[in-house]
Amino acid sequence: MKKIAIISELSGGGVEQVNRLLASNLDRNTFDIEFISLVTSQEKWKDKNLKFKCVFLQAKSKKYAGIHLIRELKRYMPDIICTSCLVETYFCIYYKYFVNREAKIVYTEHAVFSKTMSGSIKNVLLNNWLPHLLRPFDLIDEVICVSDGVKKDFMDCFPNLKTPCTRIYNPAVQSQKTDELYKPIHREHIKLVTVGRLEPVKCQHDIITAVKELRKRGLNATLSLYGVGSDQKCLMDYAQENGIEKSVVFKGFSDKIQDEIKKYDIFVLASSWEAFGMVLVEAMNVGVPVISTDCPVGPAEILKGGQYGKLVHIHKPGEIADAVLQIIECHSSERVLEAYRRSEDFTIEKAVKSYEAFYVEILEGKTND
């Protein structure tokens, strides 16, 4: 039995959801799993029926969790340590070189790394200067990237990287009954939906503008936004300033997002960048047509250049409105089924099998880039 430590928070979507799915679905006959949460409150999760063992360090913040994390790793003595955050990766490197040289560190890149290297002084320091100065990625055993675009971007950021780098798609969806996927779109009320953090990078202002444009064209279009974030008040004010506040509804966070998405007609993603775009796959998987910006790097890869959904330019709400109308005109059970079949390339089962094979190979020293 090989021991795997997955270092991640429990709360949240995206990265956290991927780590929870892996911890829940990896083969227990081969792997012993310990999920190590640095800051999540144990109280919040004590009544949840988790399918894996979780250790709550409950540190004030990740940067204060180092001693506690190293102590827990020393107690558990994992064969593989899985990280997806640079702060915890630095702690794990210390553990590997000063406590247990046999441990394998696997870092998974869930972001478009070049996009994290600029902006605030903090971002420049933590994601640009320090990684190039300390070269942590040369001190670990493997790097996993969640899409081919993320891998290319990561290799461009670190062209002299010595550590092998591979691509494994995120576990995103489960198989559905295909005879229940298609539903007609009624022009009398077009229900749009988007999911994501309410942050500037997600550009939800553009979707709100597209709703205004559709209503100017005589269509009764509404938008529901799922997610929370610092941009919520600005988005609410923006909808009110444009006179469509009654057509834009803020739904907050949902931990059953696919059940929510399938209530709507069209899914829209307007981000300025996406490493993968799991919500696109989740929408396609429940029969909802998708529109996405052709942003770096994930959406075009998922949609294969527009074969399985509409791609529009970033910050072009008029193109979003046009794409909505095009989907209405071309909507069919055949198109829905094609998109669903593409979503099956990203099933939990396929991703977990890829990770399991990867873990076995790294322990046997057989992986390569």
PDB file of all heavy atoms in Angstrom, residues 38-39 57 59-71 91:
ATOM      1  N   LEU A  38      -4.598  22.849   5.475  1.00  0.00           N
ATOM      2  CA  LEU A  38      -3.772  23.753   6.269  1.00  0.00           C
ATOM      3  C   LEU A  38      -4.591  24.730   7.105  1.00  0.00           C
ATOM      4  O   LEU A  38      -4.279  24.977   8.260  1.00  0.00           O
ATOM      5  CB  LEU A  38      -2.819  24.531   5.359  1.00  0.00           C
ATOM      6  CG  LEU A  38      -1.868  23.717   4.472  1.00  0.00           C
ATOM      7  CD1 LEU A  38      -0.858  24.629   3.803  1.00  0.00           C
ATOM      8  CD2 LEU A  38      -1.166  22.625   5.257  1.00  0.00           C
ATOM      9  N   VAL A  39      -5.649  25.298   6.526  1.00  0.00           N
ATOM     10  CA  VAL A  39      -6.365  26.369   7.232  1.00  0.00           C
ATOM     11  C   VAL A  39      -7.866  26.129   7.402  1.00  0.00           C
ATOM     12  O   VAL A  39      -8.515  26.823   8.182  1.00  0.00           O
ATOM     13  CB  VAL A  39      -6.152  27.731   6.528  1.00  0.00           C
ATOM     14  CG1 VAL A  39      -4.678  28.091   6.483  1.00  0.00           C
ATOM     15  CG2 VAL A  39      -6.745  27.739   5.122  1.00  0.00           C
ATOM     16  N   LEU A  57      -5.036  21.014  10.068  1.00  0.00           N
ATOM     17  CA  LEU A  57      -3.997  21.703  10.823  1.00  0.00           C
ATOM     18  C   LEU A  57      -4.515  23.002  11.424  1.00  0.00           C
ATOM     19  O   LEU A  57      -3.981  23.478  12.426  1.00  0.00           O
ATOM     20  CB  LEU A  57      -2.791  21.979   9.915  1.00  0.00           C
ATOM     21  CG  LEU A  57      -2.160  20.738   9.267  1.00  0.00           C
ATOM     22  CD1 LEU A  57      -0.917  21.143   8.481  1.00  0.00           C
ATOM     23  CD2 LEU A  57      -1.817  19.686  10.305  1.00  0.00           C
ATOM     24  N   ALA A  59      -4.260  26.150  10.722  1.00  0.00           N
ATOM     25  CA  ALA A  59      -3.321  27.251  10.890  1.00  0.00           C
ATOM     26  C   ALA A  59      -4.003  28.582  10.578  1.00  0.00           C
ATOM     27  O   ALA A  59      -5.021  28.642   9.886  1.00  0.00           O
ATOM     28  CB  ALA A  59      -2.119  27.061   9.967  1.00  0.00           C
ATOM     29  N   LYS A  60      -3.433  29.664  11.095  1.00  0.00           N
ATOM     30  CA  LYS A  60      -3.992  30.998  10.871  1.00  0.00           C
ATOM     31  C   LYS A  60      -3.970  31.349   9.387  1.00  0.00           C
ATOM     32  O   LYS A  60      -4.872  31.990   8.868  1.00  0.00           O
ATOM     33  CB  LYS A  60      -3.207  32.030  11.690  1.00  0.00           C
ATOM     34  CG  LYS A  60      -3.783  33.433  11.610  1.00  0.00           C
ATOM     35  CD  LYS A  60      -3.175  34.335  12.685  1.00  0.00           C
ATOM     36  CE  LYS A  60      -1.677  34.509  12.516  1.00  0.00           C
ATOM     37  NZ  LYS A  60      -1.119  35.521  13.457  1.00  0.00           N
ATOM     38  N   SER A  61      -2.924  30.960   8.698  1.00  0.00           N
ATOM     39  CA  SER A  61      -2.815  31.114   7.249  1.00  0.00           C
ATOM     40  C   SER A  61      -1.795  30.092   6.750  1.00  0.00           C
ATOM     41  O   SER A  61      -1.088  29.467   7.543  1.00  0.00           O
ATOM     42  CB  SER A  61      -2.375  32.536   6.869  1.00  0.00           C
ATOM     43  OG  SER A  61      -1.022  32.753   7.245  1.00  0.00           O
ATOM     44  N   LYS A  62      -1.723  29.938   5.443  1.00  0.00           N
ATOM     45  CA  LYS A  62      -0.812  28.931   4.890  1.00  0.00           C
ATOM     46  C   LYS A  62       0.642  29.202   5.261  1.00  0.00           C
ATOM     47  O   LYS A  62       1.407  28.279   5.527  1.00  0.00           O
ATOM     48  CB  LYS A  62      -0.965  28.864   3.369  1.00  0.00           C
ATOM     49  CG  LYS A  62      -2.254  28.202   2.921  1.00  0.00           C
ATOM     50  CD  LYS A  62      -2.265  27.970   1.414  1.00  0.00           C
ATOM     51  CE  LYS A  62      -3.512  27.217   1.002  1.00  0.00           C
ATOM     52  NZ  LYS A  62      -3.519  26.882  -0.433  1.00  0.00           N
ATOM     53  N   LYS A  63       1.021  30.468   5.288  1.00  0.00           N
ATOM     54  CA  LYS A  63       2.425  30.782   5.565  1.00  0.00           C
ATOM     55  C   LYS A  63       2.827  30.457   6.999  1.00  0.00           C
ATOM     56  O   LYS A  63       4.011  30.337   7.303  1.00  0.00           O
ATOM     57  CB  LYS A  63       2.724  32.245   5.249  1.00  0.00           C
ATOM     58  CG  LYS A  63       2.005  33.249   6.129  1.00  0.00           C
ATOM     59  CD  LYS A  63       2.325  34.669   5.683  1.00  0.00           C
ATOM     60  CE  LYS A  63       1.606  35.700   6.551  1.00  0.00           C
ATOM     61  NZ  LYS A  63       1.904  37.086   6.103  1.00  0.00           N
ATOM     62  N   TYR A  64       1.823  30.311   7.893  1.00  0.00           N
ATOM     63  CA  TYR A  64       2.108  29.938   9.278  1.00  0.00           C
ATOM     64  C   TYR A  64       1.954  28.435   9.528  1.00  0.00           C
ATOM     65  O   TYR A  64       2.080  27.975  10.663  1.00  0.00           O
ATOM     66  CB  TYR A  64       1.183  30.690  10.240  1.00  0.00           C
ATOM     67  CG  TYR A  64       1.440  32.181  10.279  1.00  0.00           C
ATOM     68  CD1 TYR A  64       0.496  33.076   9.791  1.00  0.00           C
ATOM     69  CD2 TYR A  64       2.627  32.690  10.799  1.00  0.00           C
ATOM     70  CE1 TYR A  64       0.727  34.450   9.818  1.00  0.00           C
ATOM     71  CE2 TYR A  64       2.862  34.055  10.836  1.00  0.00           C
ATOM     72  CZ  TYR A  64       1.916  34.931  10.340  1.00  0.00           C
ATOM     73  OH  TYR A  64       2.144  36.285  10.372  1.00  0.00           O
ATOM     74  N   ALA A  65       1.695  27.674   8.460  1.00  0.00           N
ATOM     75  CA  ALA A  65       1.387  26.251   8.630  1.00  0.00           C
ATOM     76  C   ALA A  65       2.607  25.353   8.494  1.00  0.00           C
ATOM     77  O   ALA A  65       2.503  24.142   8.675  1.00  0.00           O
ATOM     78  CB  ALA A  65       0.339  25.833   7.599  1.00  0.00           C
ATOM     79  N   GLY A  66       3.770  25.923   8.180  1.00  0.00           N
ATOM     80  CA  GLY A  66       4.938  25.126   7.834  1.00  0.00           C
ATOM     81  C   GLY A  66       5.340  24.095   8.861  1.00  0.00           C
ATOM     82  O   GLY A  66       5.492  22.904   8.546  1.00  0.00           O
ATOM     83  N   ILE A  67       5.518  24.513  10.120  1.00  0.00           N
ATOM     84  CA  ILE A  67       5.961  23.590  11.172  1.00  0.00           C
ATOM     85  C   ILE A  67       4.946  22.473  11.370  1.00  0.00           C
ATOM     86  O   ILE A  67       5.297  21.296  11.486  1.00  0.00           O
ATOM     87  CB  ILE A  67       6.196  24.351  12.488  1.00  0.00           C
ATOM     88  CG1 ILE A  67       7.375  25.317  12.335  1.00  0.00           C
ATOM     89  CG2 ILE A  67       6.438  23.380  13.640  1.00  0.00           C
ATOM     90  CD1 ILE A  67       7.600  26.203  13.541  1.00  0.00           C
ATOM     91  N   HIS A  68       3.650  22.834  11.379  1.00  0.00           N
ATOM     92  CA  HIS A  68       2.586  21.849  11.572  1.00  0.00           C
ATOM     93  C   HIS A  68       2.552  20.862  10.406  1.00  0.00           C
ATOM     94  O   HIS A  68       2.370  19.653  10.608  1.00  0.00           O
ATOM     95  CB  HIS A  68       1.235  22.544  11.714  1.00  0.00           C
ATOM     96  CG  HIS A  68       1.207  23.584  12.790  1.00  0.00           C
ATOM     97  ND1 HIS A  68       1.259  23.266  14.133  1.00  0.00           N
ATOM     98  CD2 HIS A  68       1.148  24.941  12.719  1.00  0.00           C
ATOM     99  CE1 HIS A  68       1.216  24.374  14.850  1.00  0.00           C
ATOM    100  NE2 HIS A  68       1.149  25.401  14.016  1.00  0.00           N
ATOM    101  N   LEU A  69       2.721  21.380   9.183  1.00  0.00           N
ATOM    102  CA  LEU A  69       2.697  20.507   8.011  1.00  0.00           C
ATOM    103  C   LEU A  69       3.875  19.539   8.025  1.00  0.00           C
ATOM    104  O   LEU A  69       3.706  18.334   7.790  1.00  0.00           O
ATOM    105  CB  LEU A  69       2.722  21.351   6.731  1.00  0.00           C
ATOM    106  CG  LEU A  69       2.813  20.568   5.414  1.00  0.00           C
ATOM    107  CD1 LEU A  69       1.636  19.607   5.271  1.00  0.00           C
ATOM    108  CD2 LEU A  69       2.868  21.522   4.225  1.00  0.00           C
ATOM    109  N   ILE A  70       5.061  20.032   8.286  1.00  0.00           N
ATOM    110  CA  ILE A  70       6.250  19.172   8.318  1.00  0.00           C
ATOM    111  C   ILE A  70       6.120  18.105   9.400  1.00  0.00           C
ATOM    112  O   ILE A  70       6.463  16.932   9.198  1.00  0.00           O
ATOM    113  CB  ILE A  70       7.518  20.023   8.518  1.00  0.00           C
ATOM    114  CG1 ILE A  70       7.763  20.884   7.267  1.00  0.00           C
ATOM    115  CG2 ILE A  70       8.732  19.145   8.801  1.00  0.00           C
ATOM    116  CD1 ILE A  70       8.780  21.980   7.463  1.00  0.00           C
ATOM    117  N   ARG A  71       5.566  18.503  10.546  1.00  0.00           N
ATOM    118  CA  ARG A  71       5.362  17.538  11.630  1.00  0.00           C
ATOM    119  C   ARG A  71       4.382  16.437  11.207  1.00  0.00           C
ATOM    120  O   ARG A  71       4.603  15.250  11.495  1.00  0.00           O
ATOM    121  CB  ARG A  71       4.845  18.268  12.866  1.00  0.00           C
ATOM    122  CG  ARG A  71       4.698  17.377  14.096  1.00  0.00           C
ATOM    123  CD  ARG A  71       4.126  18.172  15.263  1.00  0.00           C
ATOM    124  NE  ARG A  71       5.042  19.239  15.655  1.00  0.00           N
ATOM    125  CZ  ARG A  71       4.663  20.484  15.914  1.00  0.00           C
ATOM    126  NH1 ARG A  71       3.392  20.823  15.790  1.00  0.00           N
ATOM    127  NH2 ARG A  71       5.545  21.394  16.284  1.00  0.00           N
ATOM    128  N   PHE A  91       7.428  24.255   1.764  1.00  0.00           N
ATOM    129  CA  PHE A  91       7.487  23.466   3.001  1.00  0.00           C
ATOM    130  C   PHE A  91       7.796  22.000   2.692  1.00  0.00           C
ATOM    131  O   PHE A  91       8.566  21.356   3.412  1.00  0.00           O
ATOM    132  CB  PHE A  91       6.162  23.564   3.762  1.00  0.00           C
ATOM    133  CG  PHE A  91       5.810  24.946   4.225  1.00  0.00           C
ATOM    134  CD1 PHE A  91       4.487  25.379   4.244  1.00  0.00           C
ATOM    135  CD2 PHE A  91       6.789  25.824   4.666  1.00  0.00           C
ATOM    136  CE1 PHE A  91       4.151  26.650   4.679  1.00  0.00           C
ATOM    137  CE2 PHE A  91       6.467  27.097   5.106  1.00  0.00           C
ATOM    138  CZ  PHE A  91       5.146  27.513   5.107  1.00  0.00           C
TER     139      PHE A  91
END
